[in-house]
């Protein structure tokens, strides 16, 4: 799939993104960052179960996923999404950046990890990285 | 009391506050109390579990909470809205999450619960009395008191 820079030079079809975070503030912040990137449409889910439902419904091009959430937490949610769609492009977003936690998320199927607080530069880099990965 | 961990919590919180709600957040003094000192309008509580256990309570005035959230949101808030509560919770979560990551890097298994925000007047913690380290952090919008209780399980 084309990277962000290439897409802004002519692709008409917008990228779709699912933001998963129990924090309304975190979802708003990520939504604003996504909105600053040309031609990307974002949807939101406030917990793991909602994320699984929305992922099946929307089949987004990539997912931004928090780790610490009440109920079904992020790593388990990624595991379930990737079991149903092994090509899912999931970017983990968390203040927990310990290598074991990152490794756990990657083992569950996540493709990239961004520490909070997220900046536009880091987000663009992460999106470009996962767009470069093949989706089955 | 794991004073080595307490230092990491305070330093991480100061760094995070400077990054997110600057311009400056400084710890003026640290003190040890017999139980948490939390009597202001807004409490944010994060539980700590793992090889050690405890909790961190952020205690601040309503004005400070609303102003901090306004800074994070990039626009003023009319009062204690759900988005303000969420912003304050996220601020605490990011600070403690970064501290826990540093502690994990030292080979200690420690995790955190999602933050809980409680609002009201004259809030008092009637929790079990544990030795608590209190760190007042001065921000441009008022003081945020960190109450940190953490001890090894054995």
């Amino acid at each position: 799939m084309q990277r962000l820079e290439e897409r802004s030079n002519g692709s008409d079809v917008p990228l779709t993104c699912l933001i998963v975070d129990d924090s309304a503030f975190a979802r708003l912040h990520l939504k604003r960052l996504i909105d600053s990137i040309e031609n990307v449409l974002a949807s939101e889910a406030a917990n793991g179960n909602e994320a699984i439902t929305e992922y099946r419904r929307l089949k987004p091009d990539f997912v931004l996923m928090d780790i610490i959430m009440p109920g079904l937490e992020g790593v388990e949610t990624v595991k379930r999404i990737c079991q149903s769609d092994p090509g899912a492009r999931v970017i983990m977003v968390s203040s927990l950046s310990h290598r074991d936690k990152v490794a756990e998320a990657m083992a569950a199927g996540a493709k990239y990890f961004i520490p909070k607080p997220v900046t536009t530069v880091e987000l663009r880099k992460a999106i470009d990285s996962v767009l470069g990965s093949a989706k089955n | 009391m794991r004073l080595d961990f307490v230092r990491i919590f305070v330093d991480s919180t100061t760094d995070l506050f400077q990054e997110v709600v600057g311009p400056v957040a400084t710890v003026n003094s640290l003190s040890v109390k017999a139980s948490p000192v939390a009597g202001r309008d807004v409490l944010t509580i994060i539980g700590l579990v793992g090889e050690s256990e405890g909790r961190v309570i952020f205690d601040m005035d309503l004005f400070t909470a609303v102003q901090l959230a306004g800074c994070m949101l990039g626009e003023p808030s009319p009062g204690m809205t759900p988005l303000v509560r969420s912003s304050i919770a996220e601020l605490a979560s990011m600070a403690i999450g970064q501290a826990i990551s540093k502690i994990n890097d030292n080979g200690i298994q420690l995790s955190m619960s999602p933050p809980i925000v409680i609002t009201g007047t004259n809030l008092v913690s009637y929790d079990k009395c544990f030795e608590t380290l209190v760190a007042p952090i001065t921000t441009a919008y008022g003081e945020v008191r960190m109450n940190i209780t953490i001890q090894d399980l054995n």
Side-chain angles (χ1 to χ4, degrees), chain B residues 54-104:
Chain B
R55 70 188 61 79
V56 179
I57 303 175
F58 292 87
D59 170 47
M60 67 191 83
D61 291 331
L62 180 63
F63 174 84
T64 301
V66 172
Q67 294 295 313
L68 286 172
C71 178
M72 293 172 72
L73 292 163
E75 57 193 43
S77 292
M80 197 64 189
T81 63
L83 196 52
V84 168
R85 294 172 74 97
S86 177
S87 303
I88 293 303
E90 187 68 7
L91 185 66
S93 178
M94 286 190 289
I96 300 308
Q98 290 191 0
I100 285 178
S101 297
K102 288 174 188 166
I103 291 169
N104 290 161

Side-chain angles (χ1 to χ4, degrees), chain A residues 80-117:
Chain A
R80 294 190 192 185
I81 286 175
C82 291
Q83 277 169 357
S84 66
D85 179 7
R89 300 185 186 93
V90 182
I91 299 167
M92 300 305 289
V93 181
S94 179
S95 56
L96 286 179
S97 57
H98 175 55
R99 58 181 175 274
D100 287 353
K101 185 57 77 176
V102 176
E104 193 185 350
M106 296 302 181
K111 301 280 193 291
Y112 207 96
F113 189 98
I114 316 176
K116 285 184 178 179

